[in-house]
Amino acid sequence: SSARRSQLAAEAVAARARMWAMSHGGVGRCANYATASPFAMSAAHSVVTPSTQLSSRVPGAAQLRSATTVRAMRLPRPRGSRDRQLATTVRDYFGKDDMREGYTVAYTKYDIPYVAAVAGPMRRRQVGVTDHLGAQDFVELKSVDLVLPTVGDKLTSSQLQAVHEFARQVTEANSADGGGLIRRAWERTTAGAVELAEDLHPEKYVEMSSLDMLPYVFPRTPSPSSSPASPSISVNEDHLRATGAALAEKLAVPPEVMFAYATHRLLSEDGFFFKPFRRGAFAPRRAQELHALTRETVEQAAENSAVGVMWQRLDDAIAAPPAVKPPRDHFLDGSLLELRMESLEAFALGEGCYSSAQKAAAADTLGRVDMQATERGAFDLLVAIGRWAGFENLALRRYDIPVSFGSMLRAQATSLLSAPPEDEDAATRKDLTRLTVYAIDSEDTVEIDDGVSAEFLGNGRIRVWIHVADATRFVRLGSPLDEEARRRATSGYTPTGIVSMFPLDLATQGMSLVRGETRCALSITATLSQEGHVEEYWMGPSTVRTTHCMTEEQASDTLRTSAGEHPGLALLHEAAERRARYRVESGAITITMPEAEIKVTPRAEDQAAVDDKENCDGNVIAAPTVSTEDKLKNRGLNAANAVRAFEASAMEVTTRLIDPDLPARVLVSEMMILAGELVAKLGTTQGIVLPYRGQNPPKLPSAETLAALPEGLCRQLAVRSTMTRSNQGSTPRRHASLGIDAYVQFTSPIRRYTDMLAHYQIKAHLRGDEPPISAVEMDVMLEVLEDATRTMKTASRDADTFWFTYNFGREMRRDPKKKYAATIVKWIKKENGIAIVVFDDSGLERKVQVDKRQQLGGKVNLKVKEADPFTSRLTFVHLMK
């Protein structure tokens, strides 16, 4: 069983650590190291037994993975950690809950390595320590490179000094041996390690913590099953092992701590055979990488000029015109430049995304081309050589969000389009192609998840239909496409395009309710009374044909001007108004705030750019006059700006305000809410495990408080600020803001995986089968999906911020005196004039500084002072009358 495999995997990890400790002089105080350490042997990456490979697919084995692997895969964080529950970004550093008082930690300060014992107290981003010199200090959590749980009393300064001294002896012995110690460790590691599946993770390596590396750096005896090619144990290693064990026994230091810290120092100072993978973890380099590094060293020694042939390639790429830059993969050729590209990319993504070694390599590369050794400089160089686009979406890269699909997944999607699997619901699928179906969505929507229909029954009753694309008709639970969709959790929408949950061909052609095409669907119908009450309902598999595809604006205009030509649309609008009134009477809370939208689209070929010489370097309005020498020195920056200007001339950036009160927007919203309510009602009455979504009641402002605020945006924002965060689980729960007792998201299976889960469960129930997902499995999945969804939303929000800032800067360059009208909707710090305003033209909310004498709800005129999208700096000046 899954539980049994998880248990066996855990026992194997614990046994491995105990056996090593016992073979090095006793178990010591770190007997529980394998289960206590955040860097216990990774069950996801271990290649010791097949059971450890299975553990990567067992939900209960998630806790066996290393802390860095858990963070990288966005697995659910401990419930007891408030910081981790509220985190919206993936961090590559230790948190407070990764260490306890008495743990041993390693860090580097001013390029000097330290080993220390956690002494407390814990701060938000710092931890109190006592180092090996006896000094007490507070260390930034992100500076901690290694955490070693220690059972019992914390190590004293003298014990830590011994640990530090032994690590120094190991590194010196390695240097004296010409690097032989680390080289033999690499040979042993690569002899017993394998790379991950190339098709799914083409750029991943086997990662190991310092504990994982102990048997390879300090082997006791050759393993009977070791490869014949594995190097034998040298006298030097035997002497070091004996010295460390004797020193640990003499000073009562856990041998695991003694050897693990020495291993960490050895690997950290290497930089050749092993590469830093994440905090406290390393990966052996591939043989071809070592060959490239060696080859580069030999070639560099033979070069007579300051810039060799290899660096000349960078110069040539920088000098190339924007339209003929090298392809993105030009430098991914196994040479040293590929490693430098890796370092530049990590450095350009910002703090927390790169190691000290990568920063040093990036700085060296930037120095060779006379560019500033900054994160922005790395970004500019990558743009200048064609590796990145001028306006590369760094948000997606920072959060490690995949933007493409592997060849295997693309091939499977193509196969499903040409030969769909057998329809398990063919016998009960109802033909509803007689209905007039309206698909109403935004203008750029390509994943058409749902359509709606309506019929008049007499006596004031209306029958409404909600048709939802049957995505699970193509994708079965547990298939590779299903697992990839679960990993992505949701489609992402950025100003520059869509990051889809499924390959777009399958999503837009096979699954979507395309106009004029007969498609499989899951249909829900309900009969509404004049009061909006549901008298009866039904749901089941169906076939439908979309007859009208409209944007929200088009559908709203139709309702206003020609509703008689579309009686079905008019009936849907009437039904939506009934449902809205019914929900408000049931306690629903309606918030109508404008939404800001920004889109980046290709410019029409016949539309000339407004300014062909547009400067895209942050908030600079006009390029200053520079000398020829400065032009040569800044050639990388100039080349990057030329690329951005070239790209800017071929794109159009538009903003718009989305009216929340559009009739069609209300129509679609009410029908989707109705569908989710009815699915939840079926699940509640039949005891079906579903991804129920709820929301706790907010503490709304009092009537007196609201009355004191200006009507409109100020009151809406005051109500919105009291809303509680939604929650999900396998049991029904009330959704306060919707005013319904239970709710399930059901109508977007092509772009939201929780809807897929609901479809799997409902369809199995309707067939008379047992739903495939248990309550425990559902809760585990929902936690993982919530984290991934939150990450995607954060990345999308960051991308919006970038392009809004870019647009303000572009308009400022065109018209430095341009004014923007805005409404003050909330004071943040009135004594300093800090307020939240809503821009009238776009609906954008922004914190700005205005005259503190202004009234809440009053209008202000603002002018852009600074707008640099690459540093997220956007400030305004309040123009007084």
Side-chain angles (χ1 to χ4, degrees):
S1 66
S2 298
R4 180 55 178 164
R5 287 197 297 269
S6 301
Q7 181 182 358
L8 291 175
E11 292 174 354
V13 172
R16 179 173 175 270
R18 287 196 300 270
M19 289 177 63
W20 189 92
M22 293 176 67
S23 68
H24 287 72
V27 176
R29 287 184 289 166
C30 285
N32 296 324
Y33 189 94
T35 55
S37 171
F39 290 119
M41 180 61 181
S42 170
H45 294 160
S46 174
V47 293
V48 178
T49 63
S51 64
T52 57
Q53 297 175 7
L54 289 173
S55 68
S56 64
R57 300 190 293 272
V58 178
Q63 66 272 21
L64 298 178
R65 306 184 180 203
S66 67
T68 51
T69 303
V70 169
R71 284 192 286 273
M73 298 183 66
R74 299 178 179 84
L75 292 176
R77 299 182 170 111
R79 293 178 180 271
S81 170
R82 178 178 178 273
D83 289 342
R84 289 197 172 190
Q85 286 178 341
L86 299 181
T88 59
T89 61
V90 178
R91 56 176 171 82
D92 185 23
Y93 57 89
F94 294 97
K96 293 190 297 184
D97 45 359
D98 291 325
M99 56 190 75
R100 299 287 185 272
E101 185 170 353
Y103 279 19
T104 304
V105 298
Y107 59 93
T108 302
K109 190 173 183 179
Y110 303 117
D111 295 327
I112 301 175
Y114 288 84
V115 61
V118 177
M122 298 285 184
R123 293 183 178 177
R124 183 177 181 184
R125 294 185 177 87
Q126 294 180 323
V127 58
V129 299
T130 302
D131 63 27
H132 64 278
L133 301 177
Q136 295 182 350
D137 196 4
F138 281 95
V139 179
E140 294 284 341
L141 292 176
K142 62 179 62 179
S143 299
V144 176
D145 297 319
L146 181 68
V147 177
L148 298 173
T150 309
V151 179
D153 297 333
K154 66 181 181 182
L155 299 184
T156 64
S157 297
S158 59
Q159 291 174 314
L160 292 171
Q161 180 66 39
V163 172
H164 190 272
E165 176 62 21
F166 176 68
R168 187 189 62 80
Q169 293 178 16
V170 171
T171 56
E172 289 182 353
N174 179 62
S175 299
D177 193 20
L181 183 63
I182 194 70
R183 176 180 53 78
R184 289 188 293 273
W186 176 82
E187 291 173 352
R188 297 186 191 99
T189 305
T190 53
V194 297
E195 294 177 355
L196 299 178
E198 283 287 329
D199 218 11
L200 295 178
H201 303 281
E203 298 181 357
K204 297 296 184 182
Y205 297 77
V206 176
E207 68 169 288
M208 296 183 178
S209 68
S210 298
L211 178 65
D212 297 332
M213 287 296 303
L214 294 184
Y216 303 105
V217 178
F218 298 104
R220 186 169 182 82
T221 56
S223 171
S225 60
S226 62
S227 171
S230 299
S232 60
I233 302 173
S234 71
V235 176
N236 189 22
E237 291 157 350
D238 187 66
H239 172 71
L240 288 173
R241 188 186 63 252
T243 300
L247 189 61
E249 182 178 1
K250 178 181 178 180
L251 298 178
V253 175
E256 298 90 335
V257 174
M258 181 75 72
F259 287 100
Y261 177 67
T263 299
H264 173 74
R265 282 280 303 277
L266 186 66
L267 297 179
S268 298
E269 296 180 10
D270 168 44
F272 182 77
F273 289 100
F274 293 86
K275 61 183 292 185
F277 202 84
R278 295 186 181 90
R279 289 288 183 181
F282 301 86
R285 293 190 184 277
R286 297 172 180 171
Q288 55 266 38
E289 285 187 87
L290 297 183
H291 293 325
L293 287 171
T294 304
R295 186 169 58 251
E296 188 274 335
T297 302
V298 174
E299 291 175 354
Q300 194 70 22
E303 291 176 353
N304 297 321
S305 62
V307 179
V309 174
M310 182 177 62
W311 302 110
Q312 187 62 43
R313 293 175 60 193
L314 281 181
D315 290 332
D316 293 342
I318 292 173
V324 291
K325 288 292 183 183
R328 281 178 174 256
D329 60 352
H330 178 65
F331 297 103
L332 305 184
D333 54 2
S335 68
L336 176 62
L337 282 181
E338 179 173 354
L339 300 177
R340 292 302 176 96
M341 291 303 107
E342 176 185 295
S343 298
L344 282 170
E345 290 177 4
F347 189 42
L349 292 179
E351 188 175 359
C353 298
Y354 57 83
S355 65
S356 57
Q358 287 174 323
K359 179 180 179 180
D364 178 68
T365 305
L366 291 165
R368 289 178 181 271
V369 294
D370 296 325
M371 296 185 67
Q372 291 185 348
T374 61
E375 296 167 5
R376 175 66 186 276
F379 186 8
D380 287 337
L381 178 56
L382 290 166
V383 173
I385 64 177
R387 174 62 180 159
W388 281 1
F391 301 99
E392 188 79 13
N393 192 332
L394 298 189
L396 298 179
R397 287 184 172 273
R398 286 192 181 104
Y399 297 107
D400 195 25
I401 295 174
V403 296
S404 60
F405 292 87
S407 58
M408 183 187 72
L409 295 173
R410 294 196 304 270
Q412 185 180 17
T414 302
S415 175
L416 289 174
L417 280 174
S418 58
E422 181 182 356
D423 186 4
E424 297 178 320
D425 305 290
T428 58
R429 196 172 291 278
K430 183 176 291 189
D431 185 358
L432 298 177
T433 54
R434 63 178 178 80
L435 296 174
T436 300
V437 179
Y438 294 87
I440 304 172
D441 221 314
S442 59
E443 184 177 359
D444 58 345
T445 296
V446 294
E447 304 161 315
I448 306 175
D449 287 287
D450 51 74
V452 288
S453 309
E455 300 172 295
F456 186 69
L457 300 180
N459 297 327
R461 298 184 303 158
I462 301 175
R463 174 179 292 156
V464 296
W465 296 83
I466 302 99
H467 313 286
V468 184
D470 191 356
T472 58
R473 162 77 174 83
F474 294 88
V475 179
R476 301 296 168 83
L477 184 64
S479 67
L481 278 173
D482 172 77
E483 292 180 354
E484 179 65 16
R486 186 186 310 171
R487 185 169 72 92
R488 297 181 178 225
T490 181
S491 291
Y493 297 88
T494 69
T496 53
I498 301 173
V499 182
S500 59
M501 193 173 75
F502 291 108
L504 273 180
D505 288 346
L506 178 62
T508 60
Q509 298 175 26
M511 296 177 175
S512 290
L513 303 182
V514 180
R515 179 181 178 183
E517 299 289 337
T518 301
R519 289 288 188 264
C520 292
L522 275 176
S523 294
I524 303 171
T525 183
T527 301
L528 301 181
S529 66
Q530 291 184 346
E531 294 77 21
H533 174 70
V534 176
E535 295 182 348
E536 59 181 1
Y537 72 96
W538 171 90
M539 67 184 68
S542 64
T543 53
V544 298
R545 184 183 299 115
T546 301
T547 50
H548 300 282
C549 284
M550 299 180 173
T551 66
E552 293 176 343
E553 290 78 8
Q554 290 171 340
S556 298
D557 290 341
T558 299
L559 288 170
R560 295 188 189 104
T561 60
S562 55
E565 299 176 9
H566 294 271
L569 191 63
L571 278 175
L572 284 166
H573 184 236
E574 171 61 26
E577 289 185 331
R578 293 182 184 181
R579 285 295 301 170
R581 290 192 296 269
Y582 179 82
R583 288 195 306 107
V584 170
E585 293 172 359
S586 301
I589 302 170
T590 303
I591 301 173
T592 54
M593 291 286 292
E595 295 182 23
E597 181 182 78
I598 186 166
K599 292 295 180 184
V600 181
T601 55
R603 192 188 300 272
E605 294 182 2
D606 58 347
Q607 183 181 0
V610 175
D611 184 2
D612 291 336
K613 297 181 181 180
E614 181 175 8
N615 190 336
C616 298
D617 185 21
N619 63 338
V620 179
I621 298 177
T625 302
V626 294
S627 65
T628 302
E629 181 181 354
D630 288 337
K631 285 183 178 180
L632 291 174
K633 188 174 182 180
N634 296 325
R635 66 187 189 279
L637 175 60
N638 295 335
N641 286 334
V643 171
R644 294 187 179 109
F646 177 76
E647 293 181 3
S649 67
M651 70 185 185
E652 186 68 27
V653 181
T654 56
T655 63
R656 74 181 184 112
L657 183 149
I658 301 177
D659 184 0
D661 294 321
L662 281 175
R665 192 174 181 83
V666 175
L667 183 159
V668 173
S669 176
E670 288 299 332
M671 292 301 102
M672 300 307 109
I673 293 172
L674 175 61
E677 180 183 6
L678 295 178
V679 170
K681 184 175 182 179
L682 177 67
T684 301
T685 56
Q686 299 296 321
I688 308 172
V689 173
L690 292 171
Y692 296 96
R693 192 174 187 85
Q695 186 181 43
N696 295 327
K699 295 182 179 179
L700 295 172
S702 64
E704 294 78 10
T705 301
L706 287 178
L709 297 174
E711 293 185 5
L713 294 176
C714 297
R715 293 187 183 181
Q716 294 294 323
L717 187 64
V719 173
R720 191 186 70 181
S721 63
T722 65
M723 302 304 292
T724 59
R725 185 176 172 179
S726 59
N727 54 81
Q728 295 185 100
S730 59
T731 56
R733 70 275 317 274
R734 181 170 176 78
H735 200 297
S737 63
L738 297 183
I740 53 182
D741 292 330
Y743 177 68
V744 172
Q745 289 181 322
F746 191 79
T747 58
S748 297
I750 304 178
R751 41 187 164 177
R752 196 165 51 209
Y753 190 77
T754 51
D755 299 47
M756 289 281 291
L757 294 177
H759 281 231
Y760 287 133
Q761 298 292 85
I762 289 294
K763 288 178 66 176
H765 174 78
L766 294 176
R767 287 194 299 265
D769 298 336
E770 183 71 20
I773 304 171
S774 69
V776 174
E777 293 171 330
M778 180 68 74
D779 286 329
V780 171
M781 288 183 187
L782 290 178
E783 286 194 46
V784 177
L785 291 170
E786 182 181 9
D787 191 45
T789 301
R790 187 166 58 247
T791 298
M792 176 62 80
K793 288 181 178 179
T794 302
S796 299
R797 187 166 56 248
D798 289 352
D800 285 345
T801 300
F802 176 93
W803 284 106
F804 270 112
T805 306
Y806 167 83
N807 193 55
F808 278 116
R810 183 187 62 164
E811 293 180 345
M812 176 187 68
R813 288 187 290 272
R814 293 173 178 172
D815 181 8
K817 297 181 180 180
K818 182 173 181 177
K819 297 186 295 185
Y820 298 89
T823 304
I824 301 176
V825 295
K826 183 179 180 179
W827 286 110
I828 301 297
K829 203 170 185 180
K830 188 172 182 178
E831 60 270 22
N832 295 334
I834 308 299
I836 293 179
V837 302
V838 174
F839 288 83
D840 294 351
D841 60 345
S842 64
L844 178 68
E845 293 182 31
R846 186 76 187 181
K847 183 171 67 174
V848 301
Q849 186 172 19
V850 298
D851 189 337
K852 62 183 179 181
R853 293 171 295 181
Q854 295 294 317
Q855 297 297 315
L856 200 61
K859 296 287 185 179
V860 292
N861 288 322
L862 304 172
K863 182 174 74 72
V864 177
K865 177 181 179 182
E866 182 182 27
D868 185 353
F870 301 104
T871 57
S872 300
R873 290 198 299 267
L874 177 60
T875 57
F876 295 87
V877 175
H878 179 200
L879 299 177
M880 303 295 293
K881 293 183 179 180

